[in-house]
Amino acid sequence: MAVSSSNRVLLSVQNALVGFGGAPLFKDLTFHIMEGEKTCLVGKNGTGKTTLMHIIRGLKELDDGERWESAGVTIGYLQQDIIPKAGQTVKESILEDLHEDNQHEGFTYRMEMVVDPLQIKLTDRMDELSGGQKRRAALARALVEQPDILLLDEPTNHLDLEVIMWLENYLKGYRGALLCISHDRAFLANISNKVFWLDRGNLRVCPFGYSGFEDWSNTLLEQEERELKNREKMVEIEVAWASRGVKARRKRNVRRLALMKEARDKLRADKSAFLNMMSKIEMESSDVEGTSKIVAEFIKVDKSYGEKVLLDKFSFRIMRGDRLGILGKNGSGKSTFLKLLVSEIEADAGKVKRAKDIEFAYFDQNRKDLNMEDSLWRTLVPSGGDYIDVMGKSRHVCGYLKDFLFDPTMARNPVSILSGGQKNRLLLAKVLADPKSFLILDEPTNDLDMDTLDMLEEILSGYQGTLIIVSHDREFLDQTVTKILAFEGDGVIEGHIGGYSDYLAARKLQQRGEMLSHREEAARDEKFAAANADKAPAKKLSFKIQYELDNLPAKIAALEKEIEDLSMKLEDSTLYSRDAAAFNAYSGRLSQAEHEKDVAETRWLEIESMKP
């Protein structure tokens, strides 16, 4: 995903001084946005990510320095707070404030091509949409404008994995410049070829995408630490603060992944038992209450809403200590599964049994357990007092709030003034203080920054109870769960051992098998057609399309071989330290080759379906 050096500069900020609250936020701030670059913006809370977005949009004046943009450059922005007008449709919202040149059929077609995969309609009324749907409408508006510079702030919030993967592919092909803030690390790794890192008032530029950012930033910090070790004690204290974050996160992740790998290896050895657990065959009803290892069991459960089937003769066992990740697009049955589990709703048929001693702790993405009028303090200790019991240990409320990145001076403030991310952190603090024996987290990563995600992963790595996580954050699932339950829609639910990466690998193998079956079927049809060619004349493909079809298998095979070779090269753990440019080139080409293979295979199937 390298950017040509010939790409023109769209916007430039040089030697800027930017103050905030009387103190300088940035000194000597210099950066350039180039045509075609896809940049992710990372940094701790309070480092100025939103301010930088405002500078780019021209909404924040510089105290000193220069901001320059190329003539005619357009800048688009994903709105965070959408206030719909009464009766306004999604189409009217998208067209609002746009130039009259966009009022034509071609632009309407472009809008339809974007809103359809976002699972909304142009005719939907904005004031009747849910909060998540309003965000999708705002995202649609930002995308269809096709500005020269597109600014996206947490675009994956409230999107399911299917839509996130569509958005990734859309942004990979986007011709303009992109600057994105997101907590979804897999999303950033897949779309970016540059990183702007805000670190202690400085903007550091990583010359390749987020996939290599951890190693790059860790190398910088280690170099800085080595240099500062020769200086006075006060400077050593400073570097300890400076190194906290990326370096600590990397070390924690290595340990956590090792523990997770050990757990997954053990589970793979018991795969046949897991597959039996997922089967819909007749099975004897077990006594959950008397079986210490089984905490809940679904027995041939049906659940529908009207003609929409969500669960169809669904049988499933949840074992004590399971770490289960839930995937699926909106409306596929994830929430219904959870509501059945905690007895909020009843099954249409079948049974849901639960162990007698089971206790649930539930993080609800809608935050129904937060009273907006209560203070943060009262939310954590509703009965009063200065201390909260955290997993059996007494902690002062202010100290516990600091663990979740709150300034203790906020403790007496009402919940209503908090941002969405702060409300999520507060609810997590409340739930994780007493996670009980069965912890359910429904979309816990929405609106969270990366530091909070690291903290949450660390807490969950030590949790000993039964865990269910519903999330669209792929890396978060890889770090925290050992089984996946994928809701594919129409009552189809599949189980997989491992995290999201294991699920994705299994899906690719399945799709590859289906592709081979299609090829074999097409070959049989071709032989049958040749044998009966004299019986019925048929239309032929055009010479151009036939030529394309004849060459596609060789092209697909070559891409498969290239992908295999690149993957082997990238397995070399010393490659980046020896040759960072080669590492970057191989990574970028691997992503592109995988995309080209998918396109070629899809085209092969498309032409095969055209044959008489």
Side-chain angles (χ1 to χ4, degrees), residues 471-501:
S471 179
H472 62 261
D473 190 317
R474 290 155 287 181
E475 185 167 336
F476 181 73
L477 288 175
D478 271 342
Q479 297 275 11
T480 53
V481 304
T482 56
K483 299 179 184 178
I484 292 290
L485 199 61
F487 286 70
E488 308 289 358
D490 299 322
V492 177
I493 305 170
E494 296 183 357
H496 299 269
I497 294 291
Y500 175 81
S501 297

Side-chain angles (χ1 to χ4, degrees), residues 97-360:
D97 299 329
L98 295 187
H99 196 274
E100 291 182 0
D101 291 346
N102 291 321
Q103 311 288 336
H104 55 78
E105 291 185 5
F107 193 78
T108 299
Y109 174 74
R110 189 198 302 173
M111 286 190 288
E112 290 172 345
M113 293 295 291
V114 170
V115 300
D116 184 58
L118 290 175
Q119 301 170 1
I120 52 177
K121 297 178 182 178
L122 291 175
T123 55
D124 288 342
R125 285 182 46 168
M126 290 290 294
D127 53 1
E128 294 178 352
L129 298 181
S130 67
Q133 289 172 322
K134 289 187 180 75
R135 287 271 302 172
R136 292 174 187 228
L139 179 58
R141 172 170 177 160
L143 295 179
V144 299
E145 286 183 63
Q146 295 187 341
D148 298 307
I149 301 174
L150 176 60
L151 306 177
L152 298 178
D153 190 354
E154 295 291 359
T156 64
N157 277 0
H158 307 291
L159 300 185
D160 56 51
L161 276 168
E162 181 180 339
V163 180
I164 291 174
M165 295 177 78
W166 169 85
L167 180 60
E168 284 179 359
N169 288 326
Y170 183 94
L171 294 176
K172 285 177 184 177
Y174 189 71
R175 295 185 179 182
L178 171 69
L179 185 70
C180 180
I181 299 172
S182 177
H183 69 269
D184 189 330
R185 291 160 285 190
F187 176 76
L188 292 179
N190 288 336
I191 67 165
S192 64
N193 54 33
K194 179 181 280 191
V195 180
F196 283 174
W197 177 26
L198 296 180
D199 175 40
R200 292 165 285 164
N202 298 313
L203 188 149
R204 306 187 188 213
V205 180
C206 174
F208 35 82
Y210 190 80
S211 58
F213 171 71
E214 293 279 355
D215 285 340
W216 175 84
S217 56
N218 193 50
T219 299
L220 289 184
L221 290 173
E222 287 178 346
Q223 180 181 356
E224 181 181 355
E225 186 173 10
R226 285 193 300 270
E227 293 172 352
L228 293 177
K229 273 186 176 180
N230 297 322
R231 298 170 62 182
E232 296 179 353
K233 187 67 178 178
M234 289 301 294
V235 179
E236 291 181 354
I237 295 173
E238 170 68 11
V239 76
W241 173 85
S243 299
R244 192 171 64 243
V246 174
K247 183 179 176 184
R249 175 166 67 242
R250 180 172 176 77
K251 289 182 177 178
R252 289 199 303 270
N253 283 352
V254 169
R255 177 173 62 83
R256 188 158 56 244
L257 284 172
L259 294 173
M260 197 61 62
K261 184 178 184 301
E262 181 181 341
R264 288 177 187 166
D265 289 344
K266 182 177 182 299
L267 284 166
R268 286 194 180 93
D270 199 31
K271 188 170 183 178
S272 60
F274 181 76
L275 294 175
N276 289 335
M277 176 180 65
M278 288 299 304
S279 66
K280 294 183 179 180
I281 60 175
E282 292 287 339
M283 57 188 297
E284 293 294 325
S285 173
S286 62
D287 182 6
V288 175
E289 294 181 0
T291 308
S292 60
K293 292 184 178 180
I294 302 174
V295 294
E297 184 173 8
F298 288 67
I299 305 171
K300 299 181 70 175
V301 171
D302 291 344
K303 188 64 183 179
S304 301
Y305 290 97
E307 297 182 358
K308 188 175 182 64
V309 177
L310 297 178
L311 301 180
D312 179 20
K313 300 293 184 293
F314 175 64
S315 295
F316 185 75
R317 284 176 178 172
I318 301 175
M319 310 300 290
R320 196 173 300 276
D322 271 354
R323 304 175 71 87
L324 183 64
I326 306 292
L327 299 177
K329 61 184 179 182
N330 293 338
S332 60
K334 304 189 299 294
S335 296
T336 298
F337 168 77
L338 295 181
K339 289 177 181 178
L340 287 165
L341 177 62
V342 300
S343 302
E344 281 191 19
I345 59 175
E346 296 294 326
D348 298 335
K351 294 182 179 179
V352 180
K353 291 196 169 186
R354 305 162 196 85
K356 182 180 292 186
D357 61 347
I358 192 171
E359 288 186 287
F360 293 105

